[in-house]
């Protein structure tokens, strides 16, 4: 016996892609895919900016996917989010470029050092090994970075400054304050990684005069 079926809705597009497929396509259009070979985790990288990893298990990614769905008039349920993330994980594992991922400070292949300022514009300071100078870069970074949820923004380096302005913020005896400043200066001048330390010292010296 053939059961009766309800009338078909007029104008219904049964061939329309699912919200899961639409969201997955959105993620792949906005981001490049990568793979952290140290943590064995997939991540996304927003195109056109200094490379910064967005791990697939992060709450931020889930919020972004759900917000995209809301903007398109859809609701992305928990199972839909999981399906999208699972698909992205497979793609990152199979085709994602492998990277070493750094937090705040990372060294380029040519020996330069990049420091993530942690601001909303994703700017970095690049300490140049060959010239001993530094540049402020908004794009084209060579080091894959990651940020924690609690990371605060750093100030932009300045060619002028006075290290004595730090003294009121050191909660210790006056003599100990100068010992701490001297110790920090020593660490900058004689680090274990001499290339990195030399770059830090060249960058910090003008501000400590």
């Amino acid at each position: 016996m053939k059961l009766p079926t309800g009338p078909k809705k007029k104008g219904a597009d049964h061939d329309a892609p699912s919200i899961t497929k639409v969201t997955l396509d959105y993620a792949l259009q906005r981001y490049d895919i990568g793979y952290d070979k140290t943590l064995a985790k997939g991540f996304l990288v927003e195109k056109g900016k200094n490379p910064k990893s967005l791990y697939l298990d992060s709450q931020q990614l889930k919020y972004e996917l759900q917000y995209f769905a809301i903007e398109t008039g859809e609701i992305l349920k928990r199972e839909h989010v999981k399906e999208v993330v699972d698909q992205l994980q497979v793609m990152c594992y199979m085709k994602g470029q492998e990277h070493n991922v750094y937090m705040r400070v990372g060294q380029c292949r040519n020996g330069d050092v990049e420091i993530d300022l942690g601001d909303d514009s994703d700017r970095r300071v690049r300490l140049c090994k060959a010239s001993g100078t530094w540049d402020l870069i908004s794009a084209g970074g060579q080091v894959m970075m990651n940020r924690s949820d609690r990371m605060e923004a750093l100030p932009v380096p300045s060619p002028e400054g006075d290290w004595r302005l730090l003294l009121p913020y050191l909660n210790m005896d006056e003599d100990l304050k100068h010992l701490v400043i001297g110790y920090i200066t020593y660490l900058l001048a004689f680090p274990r990684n001499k290339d990195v330390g030399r770059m830090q010292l060249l960058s910090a010296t003008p501000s400590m005069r």
Side-chain angles (χ1 to χ4, degrees):
M1 179 178 178
K2 191 173 182 179
L3 296 176
T5 58
K8 293 184 179 180
K9 296 182 180 179
K10 294 183 179 180
D13 187 358
H14 298 285
D15 296 327
S18 66
I19 183 58
T20 302
K21 179 66 166 58
V22 172
T23 306
L24 179 63
D25 290 343
Y26 156 78
L28 294 175
Q29 289 175 4
R30 179 176 178 181
Y31 297 99
D32 291 322
I33 58 176
Y35 191 77
D36 186 335
K37 59 185 180 182
T38 301
L39 299 179
K41 295 172 62 174
F43 60 81
L44 304 180
V45 185
E46 190 166 1
K47 298 178 180 179
K49 294 186 176 182
N50 285 319
K52 183 181 64 176
S53 63
L54 178 60
Y55 286 114
L56 298 183
D57 58 358
S58 67
Q59 192 65 42
Q60 179 184 346
L61 176 60
K62 296 176 183 178
Y63 286 155
E64 289 195 14
L65 297 178
Q66 290 175 319
Y67 183 74
F68 163 77
I70 293 172
E71 288 288 285
T72 60
E74 299 285 349
I75 298 296
L76 198 66
K77 297 181 179 179
R78 184 177 301 177
E79 56 266 27
H80 297 152
V81 174
K82 183 179 184 305
E83 185 177 350
V84 173
V85 171
D86 287 347
Q87 294 292 330
L88 290 171
Q89 181 65 41
V90 172
M91 298 186 69
C92 288
Y93 180 79
M94 298 300 297
K95 292 188 175 182
Q97 183 177 354
E98 290 190 349
H99 291 274
N100 289 316
V101 181
Y102 298 88
M103 182 79 73
R104 186 70 87 175
V105 180
Q107 190 167 16
C108 306
R109 291 183 179 180
N110 65 353
D112 292 352
V113 173
E114 292 184 3
I115 302 174
D116 180 14
L117 292 181
D119 59 12
D120 293 336
S121 59
D122 289 337
R123 294 180 300 174
R124 295 182 184 179
V125 173
R126 179 181 290 162
L127 308 177
C128 303
K129 179 180 179 180
S131 62
T133 59
W134 58 269
D135 296 313
L136 191 63
I137 58 175
S138 299
Q142 301 176 21
V143 178
M144 184 64 64
M145 296 285 190
N146 183 255
R147 293 180 181 176
S148 68
D149 295 336
R150 299 182 179 181
M151 182 178 289
E152 299 289 343
L154 294 174
V156 178
S158 171
E160 299 178 356
D162 187 350
W163 61 268
R164 296 172 185 83
L165 297 176
L166 296 173
L167 295 179
Y169 299 96
L170 299 178
N171 186 22
M172 58 189 68
D173 294 336
E174 291 299 320
D175 292 340
L176 291 179
K177 292 181 180 180
H178 290 83
L179 287 175
V180 169
I181 296 295
Y183 178 66
I184 294 175
T185 305
Y186 174 81
L187 292 179
L188 291 172
F190 303 101
R192 292 184 177 181
N193 187 330
K194 293 184 179 180
D195 288 336
V196 174
R198 189 179 298 114
M199 235 58 66
Q200 292 173 334
L201 181 59
L202 289 171
S203 175
T205 299
S207 298
M208 296 183 69
R209 290 175 182 171

